[in-house]
Amino acid sequence: MQKRLTLYALGAIAIALASLAFGQTLPESSSDEHLGVASCSNSVCHGKVAKDELSNVWLNEYRIWLREDYHSRAYRTLLTDQSKTIARKLGIGAAHTAKMCLDCHADNVASDTRGRRFQITDGVSCEACHGGSERWIETHTEPGVSHADNLAKGMYPTEDAAARAKLCLSCHLGTKDKFATHKIMGAGHPRLSFELETFTANQPAHYSVDADYKQRKGGIASVNMWLAGLAYTGKQTMELLQSPLFSESSLFPELSFFDCHACHHPMSDIRWAPQKASRGLPPGVVRLNDASITVLISVLDHLKPEQAVQLSGQLRALHAAARKDSSAVVEQAAQTAGLLDTLATDLAARNYSVADKNALRMSLLKKSSTGEYRDFSSAEQVFLAVETLSISLGESDKHAAWLDKLFATVEDEDKYIPKSFAVIANQFSKAL
């Protein structure tokens, strides 16, 4: 789990998103050549020692990436003893040469799109996120060249919530072509956990969302990014459920789609209790991981009650389908994906008042106190949401002690106790 958030500069009011953005071609799939980190890292480009105060970009982005960003260390992770053990158990040879590892631990583009200075050992490098620079590297700094011009030449629009979600989720959740299966996790790979706004905030900043940035690229506020992220995570999950990853499994479906902690806790630790989001499921049923959607439903209870009812019904239908067969899941997942896509666009574009943020935070805490978020993955998402809202309200320092206490209950998934999370959530809500 990521280290919890610290204070950071908030973005501008959210801009409207077109659902087309989620269909944006990822940098890994583009035909544009990736020229390599060395093409960006010299001292007259993005490799300055310190921020250039006279430029509209910092120009020390390479050094920040190299020294502070874990993406630059992603390839090196494959050389650790843990990675070697995982690779040996999977029988895939060396982890640092295996495609299933390199697809997320490096900018593993096709060989014919690797430039002369490209090195796979650079890990998740600049072009893995910003797109192959073949067509824009020589012109993107010229006077009069706009951000729209760069996008037209293949630069990836990371400033757009939908495009950013698709990019991040491609590794932190997976796609039909690269996915951390239950087999991979069984060999020792850590559980994947993701929340778009939290991961954005924890990313070492290499740009300022100032007036110039907003003029060139627009901006989206933290709460909008959080809500869009919940919806897009749900949508990506629904699309994966329609893929062969789920539907073409053998005797058992792909188990990584299900709630890990429904099974992975001591048999003596009886946790099951009926919850609103999965009403009708009896004890002992392996439940699809619905954490992002259940938190989203709580948000909709306040913002869009009719759609909260609609999404709740579709989620219950999805859980019921998972007790039948894969074709039923595929059919229901397609319906739910369409609703989530619409919700993502609406939620990203909305202007959230102080009253909205306070109400959302209180609702999440109160529902947590009643046991609505008993499973670890949901509790984890609730904590991240409560902290994001507190930061957006300018109250993270004021409520730091309560945030620390709530974080402590979900800091270690192996030590998670649902009752402790509920008690702290209840006390926190009363303190507000």
Side-chain angles (χ1 to χ4, degrees):
M1 179 174 173
Q2 294 290 305
K3 182 179 179 182
R4 74 179 187 86
L5 298 177
T6 56
L7 283 171
Y8 61 97
L10 299 178
I13 295 176
I15 56 174
L17 297 174
S19 60
L20 180 62
F22 202 74
Q24 180 81 30
T25 300
L26 291 171
E28 66 194 43
S29 303
S30 170
S31 60
D32 288 321
E33 194 171 82
H34 289 224
L35 304 183
V37 170
S39 300
C40 313
S41 61
N42 68 62
S43 60
V44 297
C45 292
H46 295 283
K48 289 184 179 295
V49 175
K51 185 191 304 186
D52 188 333
E53 300 294 345
L54 300 179
S55 174
N56 63 352
V57 296
W58 292 4
L59 297 180
N60 64 338
E61 295 86 356
Y62 165 74
R63 290 178 179 270
I64 292 172
W65 170 81
L66 184 64
R67 296 175 178 178
E68 303 176 33
D69 193 336
Y70 280 93
H71 288 102
S72 69
R73 310 171 201 176
Y75 176 86
R76 281 176 278 163
T77 299
L78 301 180
L79 302 175
T80 64
D81 289 341
Q82 180 183 13
S83 293
K84 291 176 182 178
T85 299
I86 293 172
R88 184 177 70 252
K89 290 179 178 178
L90 291 172
I92 58 174
H96 67 280
T97 62
K99 182 180 185 303
M100 71 163 60
C101 303
L102 290 172
D103 279 349
C104 283
H105 283 264
D107 187 19
N108 194 27
V109 295
S111 58
D112 60 353
T113 60
R114 298 183 182 187
R116 181 175 58 84
R117 306 178 77 184
F118 176 93
Q119 296 186 89
I120 194 71
T121 55
D122 285 331
V124 181
S125 54
C126 313
E127 290 166 296
C129 295
H130 294 291
S133 61
E134 175 188 8
R135 291 185 290 139
W136 52 263
I137 192 167
E138 293 183 357
T139 61
H140 76 292
T141 60
E142 292 180 356
V145 174
S146 68
H147 183 57
D149 294 331
N150 294 326
L151 296 180
K153 292 183 178 181
M155 183 178 284
Y156 192 80
T158 56
E159 72 281 354
D160 180 278
R164 184 184 301 184
K166 181 178 181 179
L167 177 66
C168 298
L169 287 167
S170 68
C171 280
H172 290 282
L173 176 60
T175 69
K176 63 181 180 62
D177 299 313
K178 55 179 186 180
F179 190 73
T181 63
H182 194 252
K183 179 181 178 180
I184 293 173
M185 293 185 191
H189 193 287
R191 174 185 68 95
L192 296 184
S193 175
F194 180 78
E195 194 279 291
L196 184 61
E197 172 56 21
T198 299
F199 277 51
T200 295
N202 282 333
Q203 178 75 4
H206 57 283
Y207 60 92
S208 300
V209 185
D210 51 18
D212 172 76
Y213 180 98
K214 295 172 189 175
Q215 190 276 327
R216 290 183 293 113
K217 299 183 177 182
I220 182 166
S222 60
V223 171
N224 299 69
M225 187 68 78
W226 160 58
L227 292 174
L230 287 179
Y232 282 124
T233 299
K235 181 189 175 184
Q236 179 83 343
T237 301
M238 295 305 106
E239 293 183 349
L240 287 167
L241 286 173
Q242 298 172 67
S243 74
L245 280 168
F246 183 85
S247 60
E248 295 183 7
S249 299
S250 54
L251 179 61
F252 294 101
E254 173 50 56
L255 291 175
S256 58
F257 286 108
F258 294 83
D259 182 4
C260 300
H261 303 91
C263 297
H264 289 283
H265 61 78
M267 292 292 289
S268 59
D269 181 7
I270 306 301
R271 294 185 178 181
W272 184 86
Q275 297 181 64
K276 179 180 177 182
S278 54
R279 187 181 300 142
L281 290 184
V285 172
V286 182
R287 191 183 79 180
L288 290 167
N289 185 353
D290 59 3
S292 61
I293 299 178
T294 55
V295 173
L296 183 60
I297 289 171
S298 291
V299 170
L300 295 173
D301 282 338
H302 171 70
L303 299 175
K304 295 173 174 288
E306 291 184 4
Q307 288 176 304
V309 172
Q310 185 181 2
L311 185 57
S312 294
Q314 292 205 11
L315 182 58
R316 286 195 294 273
L318 183 68
H319 284 306
R323 298 182 63 197
K324 297 177 182 178
D325 54 55
S326 60
S327 62
V329 172
V330 170
E331 181 179 351
Q332 183 56 46
Q335 294 183 39
T336 309
L339 175 57
L340 288 166
D341 188 35
T342 299
L343 287 170
T345 303
D346 292 346
L347 292 169
R350 186 185 178 110
N351 188 7
Y352 298 96
S353 67
V354 170
D356 285 332
K357 297 172 188 178
N358 275 312
L360 291 176
R361 181 175 61 180
M362 183 62 76
S363 175
L364 289 169
L365 288 171
K366 285 189 172 181
K367 289 183 178 181
S368 297
S369 70
T370 64
E372 181 61 29
Y373 302 110
R374 290 178 55 82
D375 59 285
F376 177 81
S377 296
S378 294
E380 181 182 50
Q381 288 291 322
V382 167
F383 165 75
L384 297 173
V386 168
E387 185 164 52
T388 291
L389 288 163
S390 297
I391 291 173
S392 182
L393 286 163
E395 296 181 356
S396 57
D397 286 342
K398 178 181 177 181
H399 300 302
W402 284 113
L403 289 168
D404 287 343
K405 289 179 180 179
L406 192 63
F407 173 68
T409 66
V410 295
E411 183 175 11
D412 186 341
E413 60 190 301
D414 295 328
K415 298 178 181 178
Y416 173 65
I417 302 173
K419 181 64 175 178
S420 298
F421 177 75
V423 167
I424 297 300
N426 184 48
Q427 293 173 348
F428 193 172
S429 69
K430 290 180 177 178
L432 294 174

